[in-house]
């Protein structure tokens, strides 16, 4: 049976049961947990250092009210990085290539920042819809434009993450297919293509981490506008 290039992005099913929930819960098993020992191992020490540095850099511009989101956003970033990295392994499914999942993460968090802004400082939150010094004839047009841009934010978050990961997976599959086809006919060209595949894989590892960081960073910027 000939498979399409996009079949790898289909949500897996087994005996009529969707396995997406298992793929979302499974990454939490791999996270090291603190031990009662005086000294932790290197993996746990690196994890603690990484989380501390990320939290410090991300929430440094925010005031004390925004620091309540530290646990949620840090956990979200670690979760997204784990999903993206596990999705690069062969014969695995990447849940973050599903637009519905990414929108399910982006819309509630974005809506929470908007609700917080409307509740705590409604004047300042509504003031973002109209830049200061706007000419009177342009006021209705700018309000409409800023409102549309506000509602596009969660869509942009979800589409950005989905598009980057989907494009990377497709490139890896196409280049790997080229290596497989060229190997019996032109081994030298296949070897050069395999080197390209290795470099592309390293690039996708970086993209998997960067996109998770950008997702959480933009949420923190939206939060900064409303706290």
């Amino acid at each position: 049976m000939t498979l399409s290039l996009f079949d790898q992005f289909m949500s897996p099913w087994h005996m009529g049961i969707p396995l997406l929930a298992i793929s979302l819960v499974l990454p939490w098993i791999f996270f090291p947990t603190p031990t009662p020992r005086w000294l932790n191992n290197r993996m746990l020490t690196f994890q603690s250092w990484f989380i501390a540095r990320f939290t410090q850099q991300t929430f440094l511009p925010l005031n004390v009210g925004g620091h309540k989101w530290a646990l949620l956003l840090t956990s979200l970033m670690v979760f997204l990085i784990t999903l993206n990295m596990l999705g690069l392994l062969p014969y695995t499914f990447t849940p973050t290539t599903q637009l519905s999942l990414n929108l399910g993460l982006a819309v509630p968090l974005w809506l929470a920042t908007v609700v917080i802004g409307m509740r705590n400082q409604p004047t300042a939150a509504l003031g973002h819809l109209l830049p200061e010094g706007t000419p009177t004839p342009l006021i209705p047009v700018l309000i409409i434009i800023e409102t549309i841009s506000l509602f596009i934010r969660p869509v942009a978050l979800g589409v950005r993450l989905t598009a980057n990961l989907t494009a990377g997976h497709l490139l890896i599959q196409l280049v790997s297919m080229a290596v497989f086809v060229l190997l019996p006919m032109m081994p030298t060209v296949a070897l050069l293509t395999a080197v390209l595949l290795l470099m592309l894989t390293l690039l996708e590892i970086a993209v998997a981490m960067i996109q998770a960081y950008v997702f959480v960073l933009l949420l923190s910027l939206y939060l900064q506008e409303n706290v």
Side-chain angles (χ1 to χ4, degrees), residues 18-141:
L19 302 181
L20 181 60
I22 298 178
S23 63
L24 292 176
V25 175
L26 188 62
W28 296 104
I29 302 175
F30 298 102
F31 298 150
T33 55
T35 62
R37 301 176 181 176
W38 288 3
L39 293 177
N40 294 320
N41 55 29
R42 294 179 181 179
M43 184 64 184
L44 189 57
T45 303
F46 173 76
Q47 176 183 274
S48 302
W49 172 84
F50 174 76
I51 292 177
R53 290 292 298 173
F54 168 78
T55 306
Q56 179 183 3
Q57 294 296 327
T58 304
F59 292 90
L60 187 62
L62 299 178
N63 56 24
V64 179
H67 293 176
K68 300 176 182 178
W69 287 60
L71 179 61
L72 174 61
L73 294 185
T74 303
S75 302
L76 177 62
M77 192 209 61
V78 174
F79 181 60
L80 290 177
I81 287 181
T82 308
L83 288 179
N84 296 345
M85 297 291 286
L86 291 178
L88 294 175
L89 297 175
Y91 303 104
T92 57
F93 171 69
T94 312
T96 45
T97 57
Q98 305 294 311
L99 182 60
S100 57
L101 173 65
N102 296 332
L103 289 179
L105 294 174
V107 172
L109 294 174
W110 164 82
L111 186 60
T113 61
V114 174
V115 170
I116 288 176
M118 291 295 183
R119 185 185 65 179
N120 295 339
Q121 43 183 9
T123 304
L126 294 176
H128 292 302
L129 301 179
L130 184 63
E132 187 177 356
T134 304
T136 304
L138 296 179
I139 289 179
V141 178

Side-chain angles (χ1 to χ4, degrees), residues 11 26 41 150 157:
S11 180
L26 188 62
N41 55 29
L150 178 65
L157 279 177

